[in-house]
Amino acid sequence: MGSATIKQSFATLEQANTAVQALTEAGIAKDALRIWAREDEAGPVSGNFAVGNGATTDSGFNDPARPGYGTTYQGNFDRPVARGTVLLLAAGLDEGQERIARDVLSGMDGTDLSAS
């Protein structure tokens, strides 16, 4: 068993699961892979609040190209931003497995945190 570790963050659990499937199809053992959500749906993802973000003024949400978006309340729900809330860890990889895993993950919509 090797000692290389790869850390990759994804915006959604679906993206992380897709990465796990691609890694296992490429020959990486499933028991070398771990995923977990660092935040849950109750966490404040920017612009995606269940009851608004508390803005009491227009705050630049007025966009003439978007009818109805001139009000503060509607603007509170505008432009949601997905953050890297799901972490994938590939651990104990030998040199060949690490190379394969990095090649697979380079084509995914994640952020490599291994150098961090």
Side-chain angles (χ1 to χ4, degrees):
M1 185 155 228
S3 62
T5 300
I6 298 173
K7 296 177 280 186
Q8 187 100 358
S9 74
F10 293 92
T12 67
L13 182 59
E14 181 181 359
Q15 290 173 333
N17 282 330
T18 298
V20 167
Q21 181 178 350
L23 288 166
T24 56
E25 288 173 0
I28 305 299
K30 191 163 186 151
D31 64 350
L33 306 172
R34 303 281 184 271
I35 57 174
W36 66 90
R38 298 177 45 88
E39 295 180 18
D40 63 21
E41 68 279 358
V45 178
S46 303
N48 188 20
F49 294 84
V51 293
N53 65 9
T56 57
T57 64
D58 187 28
S59 303
F61 287 120
N62 192 8
D63 184 346
R66 295 174 174 220
Y69 273 85
T71 67
T72 301
Y73 184 77
Q74 288 169 324
N76 283 339
F77 298 93
D78 198 20
R79 299 178 185 98
V81 177
R83 295 182 279 167
T85 60
V86 181
L87 186 65
L88 166 64
L89 180 71
L93 306 177
D94 65 30
E95 195 174 299
Q97 292 170 322
E98 180 185 12
R99 192 171 31 258
I100 290 168
R102 289 195 185 281
D103 286 346
V104 168
L105 292 172
S106 70
M108 300 285 179
D109 251 352
T111 301
D112 183 3
L113 304 176
S114 299
S116 300

